[in-house]
Amino acid sequence: MKTLIWSLTALLAVLWTGLAALTHRVTDWLLGTLAAGALDQAAGSVGAPTPPALPDWLAPWLDTATLAAWQALAADLLRGLSAVLPSGDAVMAWLGPLIGVGWGLGMALLLAVAGVLHWLAGRWNPARTAPGPQPGFGS
């Protein structure tokens, strides 16, 4: 049981590390591609087109007004970010360490849960008795 706990912990640790590394790379790439004013251009391109026509089977669940509201929200968010963000490099200077801290906290939580499960597995020891008549049955 303990082997299973630590094998699963190792697998989850590898996946968590890969997710953190992928997040760091993708964030660095996205922020590196943003030149000054690129967010304003993105906001204009997101807010400009009209929402596409919905398929007939999707129309009862999603209204075009809802889709337009999400589109306007995304455009406003991009415009707001362009006013606040100085450049991709400046943001990555604090975002990279923040991703590392998040990875460390996730690993600490993962190891703590594995340690508790290891301790519980050590305490759980079913009594092994030889087969035979049990007291109270047919006596």
Side-chain angles (χ1 to χ4, degrees):
M1 182 62 126
K2 292 179 182 180
T3 304
L4 178 65
I5 290 169
W6 288 107
S7 298
L8 185 60
T9 300
L11 176 67
L12 289 175
V14 167
L15 291 174
W16 181 248
T17 302
L19 179 66
L22 181 67
T23 302
H24 188 272
R25 293 271 177 139
V26 168
T27 305
D28 189 26
W29 173 74
L30 283 174
L31 290 175
T33 59
L34 292 178
L39 286 177
D40 283 331
Q41 294 171 356
S45 63
V46 166
T50 59
L54 294 176
D56 292 337
W57 60 270
L58 188 59
W61 289 284
L62 186 64
D63 188 24
T64 54
T66 305
L67 189 58
W70 280 104
Q71 185 180 14
L73 177 69
D76 290 341
L77 180 65
L78 287 173
R79 280 189 203 96
L81 282 176
S82 69
V84 177
L85 294 179
S87 70
D89 293 335
V91 173
M92 199 60 199
W94 61 267
L95 198 56
L98 187 64
I99 291 171
V101 167
W103 172 84
L105 291 174
M107 286 298 290
L109 179 66
L110 180 65
L111 290 174
V113 168
V116 168
L117 289 175
H118 179 92
W119 178 74
L120 287 174
R123 287 185 47 105
W124 181 66
N125 190 9
R128 304 198 188 280
T129 58
Q134 299 291 323
F137 291 113
S139 334

PDB file of all heavy atoms in Angstrom, residues 47-73:
ATOM      1  N   GLY A  47     -13.023  42.922 -30.187  1.00  0.00           N
ATOM      2  CA  GLY A  47     -14.298  43.613 -30.064  1.00  0.00           C
ATOM      3  C   GLY A  47     -14.962  43.948 -31.375  1.00  0.00           C
ATOM      4  O   GLY A  47     -16.148  44.257 -31.409  1.00  0.00           O
ATOM      5  N   ALA A  48     -14.234  43.910 -32.490  1.00  0.00           N
ATOM      6  CA  ALA A  48     -14.773  44.355 -33.772  1.00  0.00           C
ATOM      7  C   ALA A  48     -15.772  43.397 -34.407  1.00  0.00           C
ATOM      8  O   ALA A  48     -16.845  43.827 -34.815  1.00  0.00           O
ATOM      9  CB  ALA A  48     -13.623  44.627 -34.739  1.00  0.00           C
ATOM     10  N   PRO A  49     -15.464  42.111 -34.540  1.00  0.00           N
ATOM     11  CA  PRO A  49     -16.402  41.266 -35.293  1.00  0.00           C
ATOM     12  C   PRO A  49     -17.687  40.996 -34.521  1.00  0.00           C
ATOM     13  O   PRO A  49     -17.710  41.025 -33.306  1.00  0.00           O
ATOM     14  CB  PRO A  49     -15.625  39.968 -35.511  1.00  0.00           C
ATOM     15  CG  PRO A  49     -14.610  39.931 -34.442  1.00  0.00           C
ATOM     16  CD  PRO A  49     -14.299  41.363 -34.100  1.00  0.00           C
ATOM     17  N   THR A  50     -18.732  40.749 -35.288  1.00  0.00           N
ATOM     18  CA  THR A  50     -19.989  40.369 -34.657  1.00  0.00           C
ATOM     19  C   THR A  50     -19.911  38.893 -34.295  1.00  0.00           C
ATOM     20  O   THR A  50     -19.194  38.119 -34.939  1.00  0.00           O
ATOM     21  CB  THR A  50     -21.164  40.595 -35.627  1.00  0.00           C
ATOM     22  OG1 THR A  50     -20.929  39.816 -36.802  1.00  0.00           O
ATOM     23  CG2 THR A  50     -21.295  42.055 -35.988  1.00  0.00           C
ATOM     24  N   PRO A  51     -20.628  38.481 -33.269  1.00  0.00           N
ATOM     25  CA  PRO A  51     -20.574  37.070 -32.881  1.00  0.00           C
ATOM     26  C   PRO A  51     -21.075  36.170 -34.004  1.00  0.00           C
ATOM     27  O   PRO A  51     -21.987  36.541 -34.742  1.00  0.00           O
ATOM     28  CB  PRO A  51     -21.504  36.989 -31.674  1.00  0.00           C
ATOM     29  CG  PRO A  51     -21.700  38.385 -31.217  1.00  0.00           C
ATOM     30  CD  PRO A  51     -21.445  39.264 -32.388  1.00  0.00           C
ATOM     31  N   PRO A  52     -20.494  35.009 -34.154  1.00  0.00           N
ATOM     32  CA  PRO A  52     -20.938  34.105 -35.210  1.00  0.00           C
ATOM     33  C   PRO A  52     -22.334  33.568 -34.924  1.00  0.00           C
ATOM     34  O   PRO A  52     -22.781  33.542 -33.785  1.00  0.00           O
ATOM     35  CB  PRO A  52     -19.906  32.977 -35.166  1.00  0.00           C
ATOM     36  CG  PRO A  52     -19.355  33.012 -33.788  1.00  0.00           C
ATOM     37  CD  PRO A  52     -19.411  34.455 -33.359  1.00  0.00           C
ATOM     38  N   ALA A  53     -22.991  33.169 -35.983  1.00  0.00           N
ATOM     39  CA  ALA A  53     -24.322  32.583 -35.827  1.00  0.00           C
ATOM     40  C   ALA A  53     -24.189  31.238 -35.126  1.00  0.00           C
ATOM     41  O   ALA A  53     -23.280  30.457 -35.407  1.00  0.00           O
ATOM     42  CB  ALA A  53     -24.976  32.405 -37.190  1.00  0.00           C
ATOM     43  N   LEU A  54     -25.088  30.993 -34.185  1.00  0.00           N
ATOM     44  CA  LEU A  54     -25.030  29.751 -33.424  1.00  0.00           C
ATOM     45  C   LEU A  54     -25.719  28.625 -34.182  1.00  0.00           C
ATOM     46  O   LEU A  54     -26.695  28.853 -34.888  1.00  0.00           O
ATOM     47  CB  LEU A  54     -25.720  29.938 -32.072  1.00  0.00           C
ATOM     48  CG  LEU A  54     -25.054  30.910 -31.102  1.00  0.00           C
ATOM     49  CD1 LEU A  54     -25.922  31.056 -29.868  1.00  0.00           C
ATOM     50  CD2 LEU A  54     -23.680  30.425 -30.737  1.00  0.00           C
ATOM     51  N   PRO A  55     -25.226  27.400 -34.037  1.00  0.00           N
ATOM     52  CA  PRO A  55     -25.944  26.260 -34.617  1.00  0.00           C
ATOM     53  C   PRO A  55     -27.314  26.117 -33.954  1.00  0.00           C
ATOM     54  O   PRO A  55     -27.521  26.561 -32.822  1.00  0.00           O
ATOM     55  CB  PRO A  55     -25.056  25.054 -34.286  1.00  0.00           C
ATOM     56  CG  PRO A  55     -23.753  25.605 -33.844  1.00  0.00           C
ATOM     57  CD  PRO A  55     -23.976  27.001 -33.408  1.00  0.00           C
ATOM     58  N   ASP A  56     -28.242  25.501 -34.665  1.00  0.00           N
ATOM     59  CA  ASP A  56     -29.603  25.368 -34.159  1.00  0.00           C
ATOM     60  C   ASP A  56     -29.669  24.593 -32.847  1.00  0.00           C
ATOM     61  O   ASP A  56     -30.460  24.912 -31.964  1.00  0.00           O
ATOM     62  CB  ASP A  56     -30.492  24.673 -35.204  1.00  0.00           C
ATOM     63  CG  ASP A  56     -30.702  25.549 -36.419  1.00  0.00           C
ATOM     64  OD1 ASP A  56     -30.564  26.786 -36.279  1.00  0.00           O
ATOM     65  OD2 ASP A  56     -30.986  25.009 -37.508  1.00  0.00           O
ATOM     66  N   TRP A  57     -28.810  23.583 -32.692  1.00  0.00           N
ATOM     67  CA  TRP A  57     -28.861  22.766 -31.484  1.00  0.00           C
ATOM     68  C   TRP A  57     -28.281  23.496 -30.275  1.00  0.00           C
ATOM     69  O   TRP A  57     -28.577  23.160 -29.135  1.00  0.00           O
ATOM     70  CB  TRP A  57     -28.125  21.442 -31.688  1.00  0.00           C
ATOM     71  CG  TRP A  57     -26.670  21.612 -32.024  1.00  0.00           C
ATOM     72  CD1 TRP A  57     -26.110  21.737 -33.247  1.00  0.00           C
ATOM     73  CD2 TRP A  57     -25.587  21.695 -31.092  1.00  0.00           C
ATOM     74  NE1 TRP A  57     -24.759  21.895 -33.159  1.00  0.00           N
ATOM     75  CE2 TRP A  57     -24.402  21.866 -31.839  1.00  0.00           C
ATOM     76  CE3 TRP A  57     -25.488  21.642 -29.707  1.00  0.00           C
ATOM     77  CZ2 TRP A  57     -23.155  21.987 -31.249  1.00  0.00           C
ATOM     78  CZ3 TRP A  57     -24.237  21.755 -29.122  1.00  0.00           C
ATOM     79  CH2 TRP A  57     -23.097  21.921 -29.893  1.00  0.00           C
ATOM     80  N   LEU A  58     -27.464  24.535 -30.492  1.00  0.00           N
ATOM     81  CA  LEU A  58     -26.842  25.267 -29.395  1.00  0.00           C
ATOM     82  C   LEU A  58     -27.641  26.517 -29.014  1.00  0.00           C
ATOM     83  O   LEU A  58     -27.480  27.042 -27.915  1.00  0.00           O
ATOM     84  CB  LEU A  58     -25.410  25.661 -29.790  1.00  0.00           C
ATOM     85  CG  LEU A  58     -24.520  26.262 -28.732  1.00  0.00           C
ATOM     86  CD1 LEU A  58     -24.367  25.293 -27.560  1.00  0.00           C
ATOM     87  CD2 LEU A  58     -23.167  26.593 -29.308  1.00  0.00           C
ATOM     88  N   ALA A  59     -28.493  26.968 -29.886  1.00  0.00           N
ATOM     89  CA  ALA A  59     -29.238  28.208 -29.663  1.00  0.00           C
ATOM     90  C   ALA A  59     -30.064  28.213 -28.365  1.00  0.00           C
ATOM     91  O   ALA A  59     -30.109  29.239 -27.691  1.00  0.00           O
ATOM     92  CB  ALA A  59     -30.123  28.503 -30.858  1.00  0.00           C
ATOM     93  N   PRO A  60     -30.713  27.123 -27.959  1.00  0.00           N
ATOM     94  CA  PRO A  60     -31.484  27.187 -26.704  1.00  0.00           C
ATOM     95  C   PRO A  60     -30.617  27.398 -25.462  1.00  0.00           C
ATOM     96  O   PRO A  60     -31.093  27.893 -24.454  1.00  0.00           O
ATOM     97  CB  PRO A  60     -32.191  25.834 -26.639  1.00  0.00           C
ATOM     98  CG  PRO A  60     -32.200  25.327 -28.025  1.00  0.00           C
ATOM     99  CD  PRO A  60     -30.981  25.879 -28.681  1.00  0.00           C
ATOM    100  N   TRP A  61     -29.354  27.019 -25.499  1.00  0.00           N
ATOM    101  CA  TRP A  61     -28.511  27.099 -24.314  1.00  0.00           C
ATOM    102  C   TRP A  61     -27.626  28.340 -24.277  1.00  0.00           C
ATOM    103  O   TRP A  61     -27.186  28.749 -23.211  1.00  0.00           O
ATOM    104  CB  TRP A  61     -27.626  25.867 -24.199  1.00  0.00           C
ATOM    105  CG  TRP A  61     -28.409  24.660 -23.848  1.00  0.00           C
ATOM    106  CD1 TRP A  61     -28.917  24.340 -22.634  1.00  0.00           C
ATOM    107  CD2 TRP A  61     -28.808  23.617 -24.719  1.00  0.00           C
ATOM    108  NE1 TRP A  61     -29.601  23.166 -22.686  1.00  0.00           N
ATOM    109  CE2 TRP A  61     -29.553  22.692 -23.968  1.00  0.00           C
ATOM    110  CE3 TRP A  61     -28.621  23.366 -26.075  1.00  0.00           C
ATOM    111  CZ2 TRP A  61     -30.085  21.547 -24.506  1.00  0.00           C
ATOM    112  CZ3 TRP A  61     -29.156  22.217 -26.600  1.00  0.00           C
ATOM    113  CH2 TRP A  61     -29.879  21.317 -25.839  1.00  0.00           C
ATOM    114  N   LEU A  62     -27.320  28.918 -25.406  1.00  0.00           N
ATOM    115  CA  LEU A  62     -26.430  30.080 -25.437  1.00  0.00           C
ATOM    116  C   LEU A  62     -27.028  31.140 -26.343  1.00  0.00           C
ATOM    117  O   LEU A  62     -27.249  30.916 -27.527  1.00  0.00           O
ATOM    118  CB  LEU A  62     -25.037  29.666 -25.953  1.00  0.00           C
ATOM    119  CG  LEU A  62     -23.969  30.739 -25.906  1.00  0.00           C
ATOM    120  CD1 LEU A  62     -23.685  31.141 -24.466  1.00  0.00           C
ATOM    121  CD2 LEU A  62     -22.699  30.243 -26.548  1.00  0.00           C
ATOM    122  N   ASP A  63     -27.273  32.261 -25.783  1.00  0.00           N
ATOM    123  CA  ASP A  63     -27.881  33.369 -26.517  1.00  0.00           C
ATOM    124  C   ASP A  63     -26.785  34.195 -27.183  1.00  0.00           C
ATOM    125  O   ASP A  63     -25.677  34.324 -26.663  1.00  0.00           O
ATOM    126  CB  ASP A  63     -28.678  34.219 -25.534  1.00  0.00           C
ATOM    127  CG  ASP A  63     -29.493  35.282 -26.223  1.00  0.00           C
ATOM    128  OD1 ASP A  63     -29.804  35.108 -27.405  1.00  0.00           O
ATOM    129  OD2 ASP A  63     -29.809  36.284 -25.564  1.00  0.00           O
ATOM    130  N   THR A  64     -27.061  34.784 -28.322  1.00  0.00           N
ATOM    131  CA  THR A  64     -26.077  35.630 -28.987  1.00  0.00           C
ATOM    132  C   THR A  64     -25.777  36.872 -28.158  1.00  0.00           C
ATOM    133  O   THR A  64     -24.672  37.403 -28.219  1.00  0.00           O
ATOM    134  CB  THR A  64     -26.558  36.038 -30.391  1.00  0.00           C
ATOM    135  OG1 THR A  64     -27.846  36.638 -30.289  1.00  0.00           O
ATOM    136  CG2 THR A  64     -26.606  34.851 -31.323  1.00  0.00           C
ATOM    137  N   ALA A  65     -26.736  37.339 -27.367  1.00  0.00           N
ATOM    138  CA  ALA A  65     -26.481  38.486 -26.491  1.00  0.00           C
ATOM    139  C   ALA A  65     -25.457  38.116 -25.416  1.00  0.00           C
ATOM    140  O   ALA A  65     -24.593  38.924 -25.058  1.00  0.00           O
ATOM    141  CB  ALA A  65     -27.781  38.955 -25.857  1.00  0.00           C
ATOM    142  N   THR A  66     -25.527  36.888 -24.916  1.00  0.00           N
ATOM    143  CA  THR A  66     -24.545  36.419 -23.933  1.00  0.00           C
ATOM    144  C   THR A  66     -23.167  36.344 -24.565  1.00  0.00           C
ATOM    145  O   THR A  66     -22.171  36.755 -23.960  1.00  0.00           O
ATOM    146  CB  THR A  66     -24.958  35.037 -23.393  1.00  0.00           C
ATOM    147  OG1 THR A  66     -26.277  35.120 -22.875  1.00  0.00           O
ATOM    148  CG2 THR A  66     -24.004  34.571 -22.318  1.00  0.00           C
ATOM    149  N   LEU A  67     -23.090  35.830 -25.766  1.00  0.00           N
ATOM    150  CA  LEU A  67     -21.812  35.734 -26.474  1.00  0.00           C
ATOM    151  C   LEU A  67     -21.235  37.116 -26.738  1.00  0.00           C
ATOM    152  O   LEU A  67     -20.036  37.350 -26.565  1.00  0.00           O
ATOM    153  CB  LEU A  67     -21.999  34.966 -27.781  1.00  0.00           C
ATOM    154  CG  LEU A  67     -20.744  34.580 -28.539  1.00  0.00           C
ATOM    155  CD1 LEU A  67     -19.823  33.723 -27.679  1.00  0.00           C
ATOM    156  CD2 LEU A  67     -21.115  33.831 -29.806  1.00  0.00           C
ATOM    157  N   ALA A  68     -22.081  38.068 -27.111  1.00  0.00           N
ATOM    158  CA  ALA A  68     -21.621  39.439 -27.336  1.00  0.00           C
ATOM    159  C   ALA A  68     -21.148  40.081 -26.039  1.00  0.00           C
ATOM    160  O   ALA A  68     -20.176  40.843 -26.031  1.00  0.00           O
ATOM    161  CB  ALA A  68     -22.744  40.262 -27.960  1.00  0.00           C
ATOM    162  N   ALA A  69     -21.810  39.774 -24.936  1.00  0.00           N
ATOM    163  CA  ALA A  69     -21.383  40.315 -23.642  1.00  0.00           C
ATOM    164  C   ALA A  69     -20.013  39.768 -23.248  1.00  0.00           C
ATOM    165  O   ALA A  69     -19.160  40.518 -22.761  1.00  0.00           O
ATOM    166  CB  ALA A  69     -22.416  39.983 -22.571  1.00  0.00           C
ATOM    167  N   TRP A  70     -19.768  38.475 -23.476  1.00  0.00           N
ATOM    168  CA  TRP A  70     -18.451  37.892 -23.192  1.00  0.00           C
ATOM    169  C   TRP A  70     -17.384  38.501 -24.094  1.00  0.00           C
ATOM    170  O   TRP A  70     -16.245  38.736 -23.678  1.00  0.00           O
ATOM    171  CB  TRP A  70     -18.482  36.372 -23.371  1.00  0.00           C
ATOM    172  CG  TRP A  70     -19.076  35.659 -22.198  1.00  0.00           C
ATOM    173  CD1 TRP A  70     -20.318  35.112 -22.130  1.00  0.00           C
ATOM    174  CD2 TRP A  70     -18.474  35.447 -20.932  1.00  0.00           C
ATOM    175  NE1 TRP A  70     -20.518  34.563 -20.905  1.00  0.00           N
ATOM    176  CE2 TRP A  70     -19.401  34.743 -20.147  1.00  0.00           C
ATOM    177  CE3 TRP A  70     -17.242  35.768 -20.375  1.00  0.00           C
ATOM    178  CZ2 TRP A  70     -19.130  34.371 -18.826  1.00  0.00           C
ATOM    179  CZ3 TRP A  70     -16.981  35.386 -19.067  1.00  0.00           C
ATOM    180  CH2 TRP A  70     -17.917  34.695 -18.312  1.00  0.00           C
ATOM    181  N   GLN A  71     -17.749  38.756 -25.332  1.00  0.00           N
ATOM    182  CA  GLN A  71     -16.814  39.367 -26.277  1.00  0.00           C
ATOM    183  C   GLN A  71     -16.461  40.788 -25.848  1.00  0.00           C
ATOM    184  O   GLN A  71     -15.294  41.184 -25.878  1.00  0.00           O
ATOM    185  CB  GLN A  71     -17.446  39.369 -27.669  1.00  0.00           C
ATOM    186  CG  GLN A  71     -16.555  39.863 -28.763  1.00  0.00           C
ATOM    187  CD  GLN A  71     -17.273  39.815 -30.103  1.00  0.00           C
ATOM    188  OE1 GLN A  71     -18.485  39.652 -30.172  1.00  0.00           O
ATOM    189  NE2 GLN A  71     -16.506  39.950 -31.163  1.00  0.00           N
ATOM    190  N   ALA A  72     -17.441  41.545 -25.404  1.00  0.00           N
ATOM    191  CA  ALA A  72     -17.187  42.911 -24.928  1.00  0.00           C
ATOM    192  C   ALA A  72     -16.353  42.887 -23.657  1.00  0.00           C
ATOM    193  O   ALA A  72     -15.456  43.725 -23.473  1.00  0.00           O
ATOM    194  CB  ALA A  72     -18.503  43.632 -24.685  1.00  0.00           C
ATOM    195  N   LEU A  73     -16.606  41.919 -22.789  1.00  0.00           N
ATOM    196  CA  LEU A  73     -15.812  41.787 -21.570  1.00  0.00           C
ATOM    197  C   LEU A  73     -14.350  41.498 -21.895  1.00  0.00           C
ATOM    198  O   LEU A  73     -13.442  42.084 -21.297  1.00  0.00           O
ATOM    199  CB  LEU A  73     -16.394  40.680 -20.685  1.00  0.00           C
ATOM    200  CG  LEU A  73     -15.632  40.386 -19.407  1.00  0.00           C
ATOM    201  CD1 LEU A  73     -15.750  41.551 -18.434  1.00  0.00           C
ATOM    202  CD2 LEU A  73     -16.125  39.105 -18.783  1.00  0.00           C
TER     203      LEU A  73
END
